[in-house]
Each structure stands twice: as structure tokens, then as C-alpha cells.
């Protein structure tokens, strides 16, 4: 085909390139408005909330003790309460968050009635207030006390008895020394409600009078007409003009006002249902706690007030929660992550540095090795970054079909997904993998020149023969990205999107854009080969000769390392698994570098709280941080005993008190409940299994079962040996490490597929060579490409390793092991396993169609 004809036929390709460029410019400009950063880059707090079924069950039993007489009735009532509650929970939580004045909060429903709440840029004071508010049900009720409440209370106080966890004090009760422990025992709320009650229609409740005194009252379990917080329109803090005490003024809807007027009219002094000279007491109850029990002095319609022991902070909090509305069920915090804004700024700077360093190393290497062809690859590499926004939007929408996540874009929007630190890691890694397609093409073009072809035919055949390997190898990475997105959450999904988008756009630039450059810049009649370096001129190594030793040695090492891993797991689980898989609290502290206390001294300072804490200094570029891990959370006995159930704040207080000169400051705090940890372990295990099965099926479908078996054994080898080496370095396995293992699986199969593609091609063309020699020949033919791609990926991961911190350092470390093991396994594991499956005999493939 004449060059002029080729140029004309390429016009539509230039138009597609221009369209992608325009879309990329549109979706990311201006950057200040279009770029959204995750909490790990912006700083802030993230909560994962779930229904507190234990508290819900206690509330149900306390309001109707007879329900326990019917087996399964409590669970049935819980299920009825939770039906359709998710939208209401989100609505209530959103109003509460809005009342805090937080900018750009993320509130997202999850499966199993869970909720993700992200509050960017909040300080510690707002975090504590949010933590308390999000767990408060704010269920308001107005109920009557017993008609003879005063007599019953006097009779009770005359006895030498006290409810569980309390003791006699003054004209009421005070909390006993064991109250904190007793109040957490199952069924405590129900037992307290039944204490010395005159009959089943009333509950025993305690009103907080301040200074540690609690007044007993007997309160009706239900009152007609029933008035609750659902009848509330608004609530506001107000101050009594005479006493100066704070109260909560409220306004009811017309229907609520009508019911409240009927209630107060009936039970005021000499009311239709209260012939006495004194009005009945009206118990004001919030979240099953008696706030106050004032006497009804007159009929009240749409306006009233709640009195109690309020300070300015608690009064505002109560008013905000009442305005937001009541949750249909009590919530508890399953996981909490806090990142200081300064840490986020440092992470952004480190991510930029890693990206620039990775790009420069790869670009320089490609230019030196492939000369002018390398310059073409560098143009494609630059376009990978420039056109990435379009790929991000497309991938976010496509992946959103498998698992919708509003924070990650999708849903038909043109919005960029939230950028997280793992997302930056995915971008840097995709740069290293991006040149793989160019390397495949250039090596094929080199072979065509060696076969005596002119430049036009060499380029055309090089692209044509490399396309199958490019397509198969990149599609396996995309499959891994889909699985990561489906089973992952938050930052892991950000990584999946950037990695997948990087692979998609690099395929486009390598196959389409670089071909356009060659078509327009290369004389098709040129016979002189393109100038390129070559690590291996004519390699002829007998790789198959040593495969028994390589396979046996590798799996023996893996077996020994896994035994060591299992022993460490059994003896000290916290030293092997991170808190996001086991549950617990992980805190990273920044501190003065010249005042670092010894690890033993830190352990001693924390001994009274948690003797099993993992304490470890982490050394980064220019500074060191301290990692403290404990198995305690807000749901454990020790955690619940703390003020605000805040483990991170308590550990920080201990360290700041013991070592004031070190100036400990929490940079990030992760608190993960045991239920979330168990779910993450399960989803991580499923992700690895699904990835291996999906790749086995794909490779088996595209080639034959024996090839798929070789690939799957090699991938298992890469994942296991990377995990073994990582663990032997004393690092803990976390969710980001599982993400890295999946990435290794997706990356390693690329090289294996390229080798298998060459074996299949030679099986179709060469009918005489023995299968043993053919396997050696194919591996030797791919050797340059294998080494070059490994080098470029190694450069990218090395940049992350040098400038990454925390979880990104772990990601980069295990990826370094994965890159090396993946290169090794494609030659010394996958090929021999496939060879042994066929017992050394050539598998049959249909003859390749003529090109």
C-alpha cells in the first residue's frame, strides 16, 4: 500500500486521538475543581458504621419483655426494623454531618446495612464530636410517669436495695465501682428496666441530676396519644432568662402539636384524666435515657422545652441530633481511619516525585536502548499521562457496572474518580507496564529486519504479530483490575481504576499512536534496520535442562517459608497480619527525631493498657515514625471503658505523658472492628482465588488447558514466594499487600502469555522441531523482551519504594519481589509445568492463518 494511501486511511485515527485529548482536557480542567483527593491525600476522618444489633435487641426487650417468651421473636423484630432502613439512615446521617459544617463529606451506603462516612480535613475536636453524634440514635419520646410515682420512689428508697451496677447515694443512687463492667453485660438494659417495677406496663429509669446522683422514676412503656421525635419540626438551644440554665426549645408539627396538646391537657392538674391537684410528670427520653421528668403545669401545643443538665456543647449537640431526626436503629463504628492533613500533603508530594522519577527512568532507558524507536515509545508514554483522564472516566463507568461506588465516579458521569495514594501507585506501576507493548512490537520489528524485510513490511508485520500477545497479556491485567474493584473498597478501588485505565490507554497509544508515527515518518522502502541495542544477540540457553531444579528448589523454599509464616501466625498474629485483617487500632506517630524513646521504654509506657502491642519504628526519607498496634478497639472491653471509647486518643495521651520531650503527634489512626477485619480477610481470599480461576479459564480458552495449568502454577508460585519473602522481612500482611499480590498475579501472567504465544506460533510454523527444543527456542526468542519489560517495571516500583511511605512502602516492597519472581517463573516454572503436562509431546494447534 502506498504511503499516501496509508496517510489518508489514518485520518480517522488522528480524529479519535484528538477527541480523546479534548475529553481529557475537559474532565481535568481546571484542576483545582476537577481533581478530587481521597482522605489519605487530603487528610480527614473516615467512619464505617453498622447496625448495633445487640443494643437494638436490648431496646426491643426493654420495651416489651414478653417478647422473649416466643423463640425467634426478637430476631424477627430486628429484621422488621431493618427492612428499608438504609435510605432513612443515610438521610439522618447526612443531616447530622451537614450540621457540623464539614466541606464535601462523602456518605455512601454499603451492603449489610453499613454506611461509609468520610469527613475531609476535620480536626480532632470535630472528629470526636462526629464519632459521638454518628452513634447516637437520637430517638426522642414523651412518656408519662406512674400516677403514684412519688410514693413508689419513696417506698423504693426506704429499702436497702439498688439496681445492678448502682449503690444508694443521698436521695437516689450513684454508680458503683463496677458500673463500667456491669453495664456492658448482655441484658443489662432489660434488667435495669425491670428493677422493682410495680407491673409490666412500667419501666424503671434513672434521671441524671448531676454530681453523680441519679433519681429513680417509674415510666410508662407507652403513652397514648404517642408523641415522638418524628413529630418534631425543629429544636434550638435557649437560655432561661431567670436561672440562666440552658434548655432545648422544640416545635412540633400540626399533627404532633395536636397529640401533644391532648396529652398535656389530659394530664395537667385537674385534667380529664388527672383529677389531682398536681400535674403528672412527663418523662422526656432520648435513646432510652431519661433526660428529665418535669411536671405538666398547663396544656402545651406545638411548642415546648426540654430541660436537663446541659452545658453549651451538649445542648447544641442534642439540638443538632433532634433536628437531623432519629435513626431507625442504633449504629456503632466498625472502622475508623484518621489522617492528618500534613501527612496527606507529604503523600501527594511523594506520589508526584515517584511518578516523575519513574517516568524519567523509563523514558531514558527506552531512548538509550531503542534510540529513535525509543523516542516514539517515550511519546506514547507522555500521551499515556496526557490521555489518562479520558481512560479514568471510561474505566470508572465500566467498572461501576460491576460494583457502583459514587466516590469513584461512574454512573454515566464525566467526573474523575477520587485519587488515592494507592491510585497514584497504580498510575506509577502502569507507566512501568505501559512500554511492554512497545517492547513486544520493537522486538518483532527487529526480527522482521533480520529476515530481510523492508521497513514498511517490517513495521506492518511487527505490529500484526505482536498484537495477539499484547491483547492477551493486557486483558489478563484488566481481569485482575475488575476483580480488585468488585471485592475492594475505597483506596483499593482507586488503585484498580488507575491500573486498569493505565493499561487501556497504553494499549491504545502503543498499538494506534506509535503506528501512526511510523506510518508518517518511516520510508517503507528503507532496508537498513532501525538502530537498537540488544542485550542478547542470539541467545541459545538450554533453560529446560535445569527446570527440575528450579521448580523443586522454588517450591521447597516456599514450603519452608510458609511453615515459618504459620508458626509466627500461631504465636503472634499481630506481628504477621495488619489490623485491617485482624481488627484493632493502628497509630502512626510523628515525633522529634532527636528525642526518640527506646522501643522498650514505649512498650513499658503502654504495658498497663495492652501488653500485646506491636511497637515498631519505621524509617523513611529524612524522618522516622513510630507504629503502635493494639488489638483493642471501641468494641472491646478495654476500649469501651475509655472516655469516648477512643483507643487512639488514650494511647496518644499515655505516650505524650510519658515522653513529653518527644512531642508525639498522631499522623494517622486506623481502628478496625473484628467484623470488618474478618470481612476483609474473606474478600481478600476470594479475590485471590477468583483471579487465579479467571486467568486459568482465560489462558486455557485462548490456548489449551496445559498452558492454563502452567500459567496458574506460575502465578501461585509468584504470589506465594513474594508473600514469603515479604513476611521474612518482618512486615505485616494488610489489605494493600493483598492488592499487591493480585497485581503481581496480573503482571506475571503477561510475560507467561507472551512466551506461550511464541510457543503456539512456532508449533504452527515448525512441524519438525521437538517440543523440548521448541520450548527452549521460544523462551530464548522472548528473552530480550522479558528482561526489558522487567527492567522498566522495576524502575517504576523502585520509585515507589524510594519515595513511598507506610502502606505504599509495603506495596512497593512486595512488588519488587513480584517483578523478579514473575520474570523467573515465566521461564523456569510456567513453561516446564506446561511441558510436563503434555509429557514432552507436542500439543496440536490449528495451522495459523496466513497473514
Amino acid at each position: 500500500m502506498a504511503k499516501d494511501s496509508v496517510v489518508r486511511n489514518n485520518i480517522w485515527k488522528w480524529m479519535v486521538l484528538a477527541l480523546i485529548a479534548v475529553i481529557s482536557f475537559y474532565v481535568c480542567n481546571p484542576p483545582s475543581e476537577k481533581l478530587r483527593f481521597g482522605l489519605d491525600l487530603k487528610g480527614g476522618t473516615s467512619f464505617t458504621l453498622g447496625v448495633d444489633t445487640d443494643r437494638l435487641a436490648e431496646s426491643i426487650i426493654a420495651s416489651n419483655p414478653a417478647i422473649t417468651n416466643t423463640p425467634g421473636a426478637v430476631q424477627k423484630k430486628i429484621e422488621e426494623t431493618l427492612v428499608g432502613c438504609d435510605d432513612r439512615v443515610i438521610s439522618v446521617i447526612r443531616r447530622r454531618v451537614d450540621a457540623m459544617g464539614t466541606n464535601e463529606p462523602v456518605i455512601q451506603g454499603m451492603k449489610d446495612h453499613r454506611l461509609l462516612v468520610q469527613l475531609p480535613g476535620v480536626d480532632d475536636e470535630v472528629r470526636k464530636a462526629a464519632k459521638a453524634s454518628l452513634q447516637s440514635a437520637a430517638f426522642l419520646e414523651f412518656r408519662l410517669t406512674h400516677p403514684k410515682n412519688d410514693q413508689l420512689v419513696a417506698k423504693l428508697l426506704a429499702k436497702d436495695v439498688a439496681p445492678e451496677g448502682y449503690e444508694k447515694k443521698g436521695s437516689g443512687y450513684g454508680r458503683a465501682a463496677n458500673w463500667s463492667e456491669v453495664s456492658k453485660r448482655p441484658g443489662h438494659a432489660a434488667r435495669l428496666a425491670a428493677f422493682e417495677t410495680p407491673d409490666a406496663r412500667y419501666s424503671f429509669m434513672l434521671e441524671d441530676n448531676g454530681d453523680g446522683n441519679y433519681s429513680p422514676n417509674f415510666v410508662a412503656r407507652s403513652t397514648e396519644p404517642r408523641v415522638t421525635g418524628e413529630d418534631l419540626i425543629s429544636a434550638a438551644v435557649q437560655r432561661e432568662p431567670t436561672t440562666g440554665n440552658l434548655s432545648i426549645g422544640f416545635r412540633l408539627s400540626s399533627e404532633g402539636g395536636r397529640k401533644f396538646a391532648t396529652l398535656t391537657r389530659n394530664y395537667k392538674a385537674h385534667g380529664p384524666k388527672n383529677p389531682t391537684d398536681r400535674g403528672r410528670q412527663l418523662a422526656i427520653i432520648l435513646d432510652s435515657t431519661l433526660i428529665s421528668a418535669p411536671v405538666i403545669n398547663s396544656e402545651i401545643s406545638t411548642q415546648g422545652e426540654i430541660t436537663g443538665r446541659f452545658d453549651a456543647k451538649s445542648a447544641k449537640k442534642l439540638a443538632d441530633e433532634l433536628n437531623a431526626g432519629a435513626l431507625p436503629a442504633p449504629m456503632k463504628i466498625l472502622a475508623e481511619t484518621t489522617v492528618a492533613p500534613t501527612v496527606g500533603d507529604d503523600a501527594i508530594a511523594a506520589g508526584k516525585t515517584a511518578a516523575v522519577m519513574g517516568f524519567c527512568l523509563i523514558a531514558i532507558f527506552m531512548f538509550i536502548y531503542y534510540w529513535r524507536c525509543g523516542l516514539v515509545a517515550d511519546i506514547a508514554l507522555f500521551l499515556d499521562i496526557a490521555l489518562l483522564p479520558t481512560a479514568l472516566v471510561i474505566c470508572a463507568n465500566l467498572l461501576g457496572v460491576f460494583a457502583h461506588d459514587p466516590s469513584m465516579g461512574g454512573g454515566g458521569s464525566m467526573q474523575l474518580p477520587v485519587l488515592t495514594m494507592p491510585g497514584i501507585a497504580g498510575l506509577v506501576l502502569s507507566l512501568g507496564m505501559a512500554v511492554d507493548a512497545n517492547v513486544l512490537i520493537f522486538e518483532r520489528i527487529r526480527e522482521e529486519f533480520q529476515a530481510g524485510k523492508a521497513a514498511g513490511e517490517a513495521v506492518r508485520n511487527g505490529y500484526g504479530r505482536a498484537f495477539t500477545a499484547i491483547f492477551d497479556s493486557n486483558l489478563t491485567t484488566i481481569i485482575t483490575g475488575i476483580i480488585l474493584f468488585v471485592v475492594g473498597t475505597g483506596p483499593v478501588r482507586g488503585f484498580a481504576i488507575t491500573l486498569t485505565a493505565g493499561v487501556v490507554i497504553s494499549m491504545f497509544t502503543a498499538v494506534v499512536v506509535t503506528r501512526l508515527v511510523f506510518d508518517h515518518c518511516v520510508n517503507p522502502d528503507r532496508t537498513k534496520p532501525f538502530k537498537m541495542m540488544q542485550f542478547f544477540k542470539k541467545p541459545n540457553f538450554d533453560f529446560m535442562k535445569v527446570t527440575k531444579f528450579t521448580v523443586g528448589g522454588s517450591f521447597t523454599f516456599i514450603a519452608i517459608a510458609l511453615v515459618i509464616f504459620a508458626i509466627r501466625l500461631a504465636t503472634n498474629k499481630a506481628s504477621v497480619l495488619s489490623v485491617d485483617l485482624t481488627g484493632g487500632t493502628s497509630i502512626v506517630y510523628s515525633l522529634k527525631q532527636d528525642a526518640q524513646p527506646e522501643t522498650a521504654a514505649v512498650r513499658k509506657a503502654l504495658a498497663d493498657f495492652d501488653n500485646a502491642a506491636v511497637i515498631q519504628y519505621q524509617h523513611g526519607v529524612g524522618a522516622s515514625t513510630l507504629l503502635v498496634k493494639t488489638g483493642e478497639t471501641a468494641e472491646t472491653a478495654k476500649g469501651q471503658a475509655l472516655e469516648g471509647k477512643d483507643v487512639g486518643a488514650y494511647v496518644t495521651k499515655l505516650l505524650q505523658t510519658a515522653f513529653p520531650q518527644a512531642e508525639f503527634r498522631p499522623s494517622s489512626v486506623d481502628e478496625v472492628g473484628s467484623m470488618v477485619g474478618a470481612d476483609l480477610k474473606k474478600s481478600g481470599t476470594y479475590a485471590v482465588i477468583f483471579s487465579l480461576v479467571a486467568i486459568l479459564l482465560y489462558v486455557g480458552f485462548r490456548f489449551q488447558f496445559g498452558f492454563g495449568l502452567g500459567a496458574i502454577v506460575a502465578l501461585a508460585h509468584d504470589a506465594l514466594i513474594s508473600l514469603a519473602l515479604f513476611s521474612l522481612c518482618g512486615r505485616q500482611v494488610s489489605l494493600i499487600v493483598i492488592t499487591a499480590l493480585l497485581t503481581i498475579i496480573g503482571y506475571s501472567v503477561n510475560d507467561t502469555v507472551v512466551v506461550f504465544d511464541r510457543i503456539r506460533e512456532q508449533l504452527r510454523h515448525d512441524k519438525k522441531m521437538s517440543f523440548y527444543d521448541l520450548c527452549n527456542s521460544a523462551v530464548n526468542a522472548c528473552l530480550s523482551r522479558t528482561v526489558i519489560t522487567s527492567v522498566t517495571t522495576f524502575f517504576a516500583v523502585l520509585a515507589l519504594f524510594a519515595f513511598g511511605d507506610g502502606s505504599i512502602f509495603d506495596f512497593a516492597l512486595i512488588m519488587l519481589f513480584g517483578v523478579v519472581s514473575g520474570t523467573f517463573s515465566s521461564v523456569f516454572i510456567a513453561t516446564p509445568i506446561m511441558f510436563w503436562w503434555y509429557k514432552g509431546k507436542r500439543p496440536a494447534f490449528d495451522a495459523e492463518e496466513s497473514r
Side-chain angles (χ1 to χ4, degrees):
M1 184 180 293
K3 184 172 181 178
D4 291 342
S5 176
V6 170
V7 171
R8 285 195 301 272
N9 291 336
N10 285 341
I11 291 177
W12 69 271
K13 296 179 183 178
W14 288 111
M15 293 177 63
V16 171
L17 177 61
L19 177 62
I20 295 174
V22 169
I23 295 174
S24 292
F25 181 82
Y26 170 77
V27 299
C28 66
N29 276 284
S32 59
E33 296 179 10
K34 299 296 182 69
L35 291 179
R36 300 181 298 156
F37 294 103
L39 291 186
D40 55 349
L41 296 178
K42 191 173 185 178
T45 297
S46 172
F47 299 100
T48 300
L49 303 174
V51 175
D52 192 337
T53 53
D54 293 336
R55 280 177 58 196
L56 181 57
E58 286 199 3
S59 176
I60 291 171
I61 296 171
S63 62
N64 180 19
I67 196 171
T68 57
N69 297 330
T70 305
V74 175
Q75 182 60 34
K76 184 178 179 181
K77 184 66 175 177
I78 290 174
E79 292 172 358
E80 291 175 356
T81 303
L82 298 181
V83 170
C85 76
D86 290 359
D87 289 342
R88 184 177 167 192
V89 168
I90 292 174
S91 177
V92 171
I93 293 296
R94 187 176 300 282
R95 287 197 293 269
R96 291 188 188 183
V97 170
D98 289 343
M100 299 175 197
T102 305
N103 292 325
E104 299 181 357
V106 174
I107 302 171
Q108 178 185 335
M110 304 166 70
K111 64 179 181 179
D112 299 328
H113 308 294
R114 294 184 186 179
L115 187 69
L116 175 67
V117 179
Q118 294 184 341
L119 308 177
V122 299
D123 57 24
D124 193 55
E125 184 177 350
V126 175
R127 178 190 69 83
K128 290 180 179 178
K131 188 173 183 178
S133 178
L134 294 175
Q135 296 180 95
S136 171
F139 187 74
L140 180 68
E141 293 180 280
F142 299 94
R143 294 194 237 153
L144 294 169
T145 62
H146 195 281
K148 298 181 178 181
N149 188 57
D150 292 343
Q151 297 94 311
L152 291 171
V153 168
K155 184 180 178 181
L156 172 64
L157 293 176
K159 299 179 182 179
D160 189 20
V161 295
E164 185 180 18
Y166 291 85
E167 59 188 6
K168 294 282 290 291
K169 183 178 181 180
S171 59
Y173 298 100
R175 289 178 176 176
N178 65 343
W179 177 85
S180 180
E181 177 189 350
V182 169
S183 62
K184 297 176 180 64
R185 293 174 182 169
H188 176 263
R191 291 192 297 274
L192 183 65
F195 179 71
E196 295 289 325
T197 53
D199 59 58
R201 294 174 298 170
Y202 293 89
S203 296
F204 175 83
M205 303 190 80
L206 291 170
E207 177 187 354
D208 186 358
N209 296 321
D211 60 25
N213 287 302
Y214 294 84
S215 297
N217 288 276
F218 293 95
V219 181
R221 293 187 182 274
S222 62
T223 298
E224 294 297 336
R226 190 167 183 264
V227 185
T228 70
E230 293 180 2
D231 301 304
L232 193 72
I233 291 181
S234 64
V237 179
Q238 59 188 29
R239 190 178 293 275
E240 294 289 337
T242 55
T243 65
N245 293 333
L246 294 174
S247 62
I248 310 297
F250 62 84
R251 188 161 61 91
L252 299 173
S253 65
S254 56
E255 176 62 20
R258 184 189 63 77
K259 292 190 292 183
F260 202 61
T262 301
L263 177 64
T264 52
R265 181 174 63 251
N266 284 341
Y267 293 99
K268 68 180 182 178
H270 301 292
K273 295 187 178 182
N274 179 32
T276 67
D277 295 332
R278 183 174 182 268
R280 288 276 290 277
Q281 288 177 262
L282 184 66
I284 302 173
I285 301 165
L286 181 70
D287 294 345
S288 302
T289 300
L290 181 60
I291 301 296
S292 62
V295 174
I296 301 174
N297 293 319
S298 61
E299 178 181 333
I300 304 172
S301 179
T302 57
Q303 296 187 14
E305 68 175 358
I306 302 171
T307 59
R309 303 283 178 174
F310 301 121
D311 57 22
K313 192 173 182 180
S314 62
K316 182 181 184 306
K317 175 177 175 291
L318 175 57
D320 288 343
E321 289 176 356
L322 291 176
N323 284 322
L327 290 169
M331 308 294 286
K332 64 179 178 181
I333 292 176
L334 303 177
E336 176 185 354
T337 300
T338 301
V339 179
T342 53
V343 176
D345 293 339
D346 291 345
I348 293 175
K352 289 179 179 177
T353 305
V356 171
M357 178 181 172
F359 179 89
C360 291
L361 287 173
I362 295 165
I364 292 171
F365 174 82
M366 291 296 290
F367 180 71
I368 292 175
Y369 193 86
Y370 286 111
W371 192 229
R372 290 178 182 173
C373 289
L375 185 60
V376 174
D378 289 345
I379 294 173
L381 196 62
F382 172 78
L383 288 175
D384 288 340
I385 298 175
L387 305 180
L388 184 65
T390 300
L392 288 171
V393 171
I394 292 173
C395 289
N397 279 278
L398 292 177
L399 291 174
V401 173
F402 298 97
H404 181 57
D405 188 339
S407 67
M408 291 297 159
S413 74
M414 293 291 287
Q415 193 173 31
L416 288 170
V418 171
L419 185 62
T420 62
M421 192 59 199
I424 293 177
L427 170 61
V428 175
L429 183 62
S430 67
L431 289 177
M433 300 170 64
V435 296
D436 177 50
N438 292 122
V439 172
L440 275 168
I441 293 167
F442 296 162
E443 291 299 319
R444 285 289 194 168
I445 290 175
R446 187 204 304 271
E447 292 176 9
E448 294 297 318
F449 272 121
Q450 290 173 349
K453 304 291 177 62
E457 190 176 1
V459 169
R460 184 170 62 253
N461 290 349
Y463 276 88
R465 296 185 187 282
F467 180 77
T468 303
I470 293 171
F471 179 81
D472 286 335
S473 60
N474 282 285
L475 189 57
T476 54
T477 304
I478 292 172
I479 290 172
T480 303
I482 293 172
I483 293 172
L484 270 173
F485 188 86
V486 171
V487 302
T489 57
V492 174
R493 285 183 170 173
F495 171 82
I497 290 177
T498 55
L499 180 65
T500 305
V503 169
V504 169
I505 202 65
S506 67
M507 283 183 66
F508 173 78
T509 58
V511 175
V512 177
V513 177
T514 60
R515 178 68 184 274
L516 287 174
V517 175
F518 279 117
D519 286 345
H520 286 264
C521 299
V522 173
N523 180 0
D525 298 325
R526 168 187 173 137
T527 58
K528 184 179 180 181
F530 298 147
K531 183 179 178 180
M532 302 179 189
M533 288 179 62
Q534 193 170 7
F535 283 150
F536 305 99
K537 295 293 184 181
K538 290 184 180 181
N540 189 27
F541 301 108
D542 190 354
F543 292 105
M544 299 298 292
K545 184 178 181 180
V546 296
T547 51
K548 290 183 179 179
F549 301 100
T550 57
V551 173
S554 290
F555 283 101
T556 299
F557 172 80
I558 290 173
I560 295 172
L562 289 181
V563 169
I564 296 173
F565 180 87
I567 293 173
R568 291 180 61 201
L569 184 63
T571 55
N572 188 4
K573 183 167 62 174
S575 68
V576 178
L577 301 180
S578 181
V579 296
D580 53 0
L581 300 181
T582 62
T585 302
S586 175
I587 315 159
V588 176
Y589 290 100
S590 60
L591 67 160
K592 289 186 68 174
Q593 301 302 302
D594 57 355
Q596 292 183 8
E598 295 292 331
T599 302
V602 176
R603 188 176 299 282
K604 183 178 179 181
L606 302 178
D608 290 340
F609 177 65
D610 182 13
N611 284 311
V614 171
I615 300 166
Q616 184 181 85
Y617 277 106
Q618 299 179 324
H619 303 289
V621 179
S624 297
T625 57
L626 178 70
L627 169 67
V628 176
K629 289 174 53 181
T630 167
E632 307 298 341
T633 67
E635 69 180 22
T636 62
K638 284 185 179 180
Q640 288 184 339
L642 302 177
E643 179 183 356
K645 302 179 181 179
D646 199 329
V647 175
Y650 184 74
V651 173
T652 301
K653 182 179 178 181
L654 290 177
L655 292 178
Q656 290 175 341
T657 302
F659 312 104
Q661 71 282 1
E663 298 181 6
F664 278 102
R665 296 182 303 277
S667 299
S668 64
V669 181
D670 286 317
E671 183 174 302
V672 180
S674 57
M675 181 166 54
V676 173
D679 286 351
L680 290 177
K681 273 195 294 189
K682 183 168 66 175
S683 63
T685 303
Y686 286 163
V688 173
I689 294 173
F690 291 159
S691 294
L692 292 173
V693 171
I695 291 172
L696 171 64
L697 293 175
Y698 181 79
V699 175
F701 170 75
R702 289 288 292 160
F703 294 86
Q704 287 186 11
F705 178 78
F707 289 80
L709 180 64
I712 208 71
V713 172
L715 296 183
H717 163 274
D718 296 339
L720 291 174
I721 204 166
S722 300
L723 178 62
L725 291 169
F726 179 82
S727 180
L728 289 175
C729 290
R731 311 298 294 185
Q732 287 92 33
V733 178
S734 62
L735 187 60
I736 199 70
V737 171
I738 294 176
T739 302
L741 289 175
L742 289 169
T743 307
I744 289 170
I745 290 172
Y747 165 79
S748 298
V749 76
N750 284 8
D751 198 37
T752 301
V753 167
V754 171
V755 173
F756 284 173
D757 183 74
R758 183 60 69 104
I759 291 173
R760 178 176 59 184
E761 179 182 326
Q762 290 192 209
L763 282 169
R764 287 168 170 166
H765 283 111
D766 192 324
K767 303 297 184 181
K768 296 180 180 180
M769 186 182 295
S770 70
F771 195 34
Y772 180 96
D773 292 334
L774 190 146
C775 288
N776 266 329
S777 174
V779 172
N780 278 290
C782 297
L783 192 59
S784 290
R785 176 263 166 201
T786 298
V787 172
I788 294 168
T789 301
S790 299
V791 168
T792 57
T793 307
F794 192 87
F795 282 157
V797 177
L798 188 63
L800 286 174
F801 182 80
F803 295 98
D805 195 8
S807 61
I808 298 304
F809 178 88
D810 287 343
F811 175 89
L813 177 60
I814 196 168
M815 279 301 302
L816 286 175
F817 296 140
V819 170
V820 175
S821 65
T823 304
F824 174 86
S825 68
S826 62
V827 176
F828 295 107
I829 304 295
T831 303
I833 293 295
M834 179 272 297
F835 178 81
W836 295 335
W837 171 260
Y838 292 110
K839 300 178 181 179
K841 298 178 181 179
R842 293 169 55 110
F845 278 98
D846 295 332
E848 184 180 39
E849 296 178 3
S850 59
R851 294 186 184 274

